[in-house]
Amino acid sequence: MTYTVGVTGGIGSGKSTVADLFAELGVVIVDADMIARDVVASGEPVLDAIGAYFGPEVIAADGSLNRALMRERIFENAAYRHWLEALLHPLIRERMLVECQNARSAYCLLVVPLLVENKLTDLCDRVLVVDASAEVQIARSVRRDSSNEAQIKAMMATQASREQRLAAADDIIDNNDCDLAQLRAAVLQLHEQYLALSGA
Ligand code: ATP
């Protein structure tokens, strides 16, 4: 099993930015969001069960899951959300595990926005939290997504608190008042540490 560093952080905290910097150093990145999309891509057998449960309209014309419609359905009804999560979470977990196992670098980075919320820390040898204050999260997300502050706050309310996340951290990148050069330096320092920990 490749030594696995789980990376998490709230919306707009800088996970992707940090992951890109590790990738520049040759570290394989396993992206939970991408895997979550792949498991419901066109042709995936699990779509039959989802179509049977929610109705054929949740399958888009190209055969993939209509994610926007599904989001609406599960927003209306918590039982729907639980059913879908019970179906998809084990599949997503298994694929994350396989991708980490197959990673061809000294260690790999498993980037999971909801690592703490979905209790996935057991997949990781170490947990790195990208930390930003609520104000910074909101400012960056509003700028990036052109969503409004209320939408970002609503999203943040569904995620773990900053304190809960930090409590799960082995390492923390403080991404509040730093520029890209400082972020890169922090990543390089952690990279050296992870190479040593992984026995490379
Ligand atoms: P999400 O979970 O919402 O996808 P994320 O945690 O992956 O977000 P990023 O997309 O990496 O966050 O960062 C959010 C925005 O903030 C991006 O536009 C990114 O370029 C910017 N950003 C990240 N870190 C910094 C920084 N240190 N200084 C300035 N801008 C930053």
Side-chain angles (χ1 to χ4, degrees):
M1 180 70 185
T2 312
Y3 190 86
T4 301
V5 177
V7 175
T8 193
I11 181 171
S13 58
K15 297 176 291 295
S16 308
T17 308
V18 164
D20 288 348
L21 294 171
F22 277 99
E24 282 177 13
L25 299 169
V27 178
V28 170
I29 312 297
V30 178
D31 181 332
D33 281 346
M34 212 180 280
I35 292 175
R37 278 194 292 275
D38 287 350
V39 298
V40 291
S42 178
E44 288 293 334
V46 75
L47 290 171
D48 295 339
I50 296 175
Y53 187 84
F54 288 100
E57 66 277 13
V58 300
I59 309 300
D62 71 352
S64 67
L65 188 66
N66 182 337
R67 291 162 60 89
L69 183 58
M70 279 305 301
R71 260 196 301 274
E72 270 175 38
R73 292 279 172 89
I74 64 178
F75 182 73
E76 287 162 8
N77 186 330
Y80 285 171
R81 182 166 60 81
H82 291 143
W83 184 89
L84 193 68
E85 286 180 354
L87 184 72
L88 296 181
H89 281 188
L91 295 177
I92 295 168
R93 184 188 168 89
E94 182 57 26
R95 287 204 196 182
M96 291 195 294
L97 205 57
V98 169
E99 284 199 21
C100 289
Q101 270 165 358
N102 292 339
R104 291 279 170 268
S105 52
Y107 67 93
C108 73
L109 225 61
L110 175 61
V111 183
V112 192
L114 301 181
L115 187 80
V116 173
E117 294 83 342
N118 289 339
K119 302 187 172 54
L120 292 164
T121 48
D122 66 309
L123 293 178
C124 313
D125 294 291
R126 214 162 165 89
V127 174
L128 168 60
V129 169
V130 182
D131 180 58
S133 70
E135 294 72 31
V136 169
Q137 282 183 272
I138 293 166
R140 286 193 186 138
S141 303
V142 166
R143 205 177 319 131
R144 185 195 52 187
D145 305 336
S146 56
S147 7
N148 63 44
E149 189 170 328
Q151 286 168 318
I152 303 297
K153 281 185 174 164
M155 178 68 95
M156 285 167 64
T158 69
Q159 299 188 342
S161 68
R162 192 177 178 189
E163 291 69 29
Q164 285 168 327
R165 218 176 278 113
L166 289 173
D170 295 299
D171 304 303
I172 298 165
I173 288 188
D174 178 347
N175 192 22
N176 286 290
D177 291 313
C178 64
D179 58 23
L180 198 62
Q182 288 166 315
L183 206 55
R184 183 172 273 118
V187 165
L188 194 57
Q189 195 173 3
L190 286 167
H191 179 62
E192 301 294 342
Q193 190 187 330
Y194 296 151
L195 286 177
L197 283 169
S198 65

